[in-house]
Amino acid sequence: AQKVTQAQTEISVVEKEDVTLDCVYETRDTTYYLFWYKQPPSGELVFLIRRNSFDEQNEISGRYSWNFQKSTSSFNFTITASQVVDSAVYFCALSEAQGDSWGKFQFGAGTQVVVTP
Amino acid sequence: NAGVTQTPKFQVLKTGQSMTLQCAQDMNHEYMSWYRQDPGMGLRLIHYSVGAGITDQGEVPNGYNVSRSTTEDFPLRLLSAAPSQTSVYFCASRKEPPGRTGELFFGEGSRLTVL
């Protein structure tokens, strides 16, 4: 069975601080995909990044960066120099490409990020 | 592009009433799904479909029915609403490329309150 754990319920930072969101996953599949989504106060869900299990190359996109480590089953997300507009709930998700769970996304409980001026 | 469209955006029901949440997508996506979002629990899969005529249960299917008669539409029916079904509901779709790598595209959500 697949499982995604986001242990941090809420993180509060002051603008321009860096913030790292933790995501730990469990899966028995060798092929799987990891995602991060953002849900701003307006409520929509915005796709941020997708990573497959064969690509451990970390990525930086503007102020966002992702650290994927299969050895620790973690897919962490960092916002550098946070801004008030980064205030949102961030969800980590897992999708298995094989087995009984394919087609099903497993989401973590989400981490609320609050950035104050 | 409209993407994924959900209606209604808000609904208040009384216990025992039935209703249908509508979901339509115009991206020709094979895969469609319904999630519910409750505080502290993330998004939980209710039902999903990998194509017209094919549906399957997710993590929390009880009290909900779905059907998929066309590629575009995937309605979610509440047969007899209960207060425990008070939630925000999201419809999502994705393309099904080889390996099923596609990200989910979400509708704007439907907030349902059952009194």
Side-chain angles (χ1 to χ4, degrees):
Chain A
Q2 52 185 357
K3 184 178 179 181
V4 176
T5 302
Q6 294 180 255
Q8 304 151 308
T9 304
E10 181 172 325
I11 300 175
S12 294
V13 297
V14 177
E15 208 169 20
K16 298 184 182 178
E17 290 182 339
D18 296 349
V19 56
T20 295
L21 309 181
D22 298 331
C23 174
V24 175
Y25 62 92
E26 295 178 24
T27 177
R28 286 178 284 192
D29 270 5
T30 56
T31 304
Y32 53 89
Y33 301 89
L34 296 163
F35 304 80
W36 276 98
Y37 280 84
K38 174 182 179 180
Q39 187 177 43
S42 52
E44 74 271 23
L45 286 150
V46 179
F47 165 72
L48 295 178
I49 190 172
R50 174 184 65 238
R51 263 289 174 268
N52 71 56
S53 52
F54 299 108
D55 181 7
E56 288 191 74
Q57 182 177 356
N58 294 318
E59 180 173 334
I60 297 174
S61 176
R63 295 185 298 106
Y64 296 164
S65 62
W66 291 270
N67 184 356
F68 175 30
Q69 292 190 341
K70 286 179 71 172
S71 61
T72 56
S73 297
S74 65
F75 185 45
N76 297 338
F77 170 45
T78 297
I79 304 171
T80 302
S82 60
Q83 300 175 1
V84 173
V85 294
D86 296 324
S87 296
V89 180
Y90 292 83
F91 291 99
C92 181
L94 166 70
S95 174
E96 295 175 341
Q98 306 167 29
D100 295 338
S101 294
W102 74 259
K104 302 177 184 179
F105 272 57
Q106 182 69 47
F107 284 83
T111 298
Q112 173 79 59
V113 173
V114 178
V115 182
T116 54
Chain B
N1 289 337
V4 180
T5 303
Q6 290 181 230
T7 55
K9 288 186 170 45
F10 300 94
Q11 183 72 50
V12 178
L13 291 177
K14 294 182 179 179
T15 297
Q17 288 184 317
S18 62
M19 76 157 297
T20 299
L21 295 174
Q22 301 291 345
C23 177
Q25 52 91 10
D26 61 359
M27 297 174 283
N28 201 31
H29 285 175
E30 296 91 346
Y31 179 94
M32 295 186 73
S33 54
W34 278 101
Y35 288 83
R36 60 177 288 173
Q37 182 180 14
D38 302 292
M41 303 190 74
L43 289 95
R44 292 182 293 168
L45 181 64
I46 304 171
H47 285 286
Y48 68 100
S49 168
V50 298
I54 305 170
T55 63
D56 206 347
Q57 296 181 350
E59 182 183 355
V60 288
N62 292 342
Y64 307 95
N65 272 359
V66 292
S67 60
R68 184 94 179 270
S69 56
T70 67
T71 300
E72 295 78 20
D73 300 299
F74 191 46
L76 177 72
R77 282 182 287 276
L78 282 70
L79 306 174
S80 178
S84 60
Q85 293 178 304
T86 294
S87 188
V88 179
Y89 292 85
F90 286 95
C91 180
S93 72
R94 74 178 189 194
K95 195 68 177 168
E96 286 292 285
R100 300 182 181 90
T101 63
E103 70 269 23
L104 288 172
F105 292 81
F106 284 90
E108 293 183 340
S110 298
R111 183 175 294 275
L112 174 66
T113 301
V114 182
L115 303 176

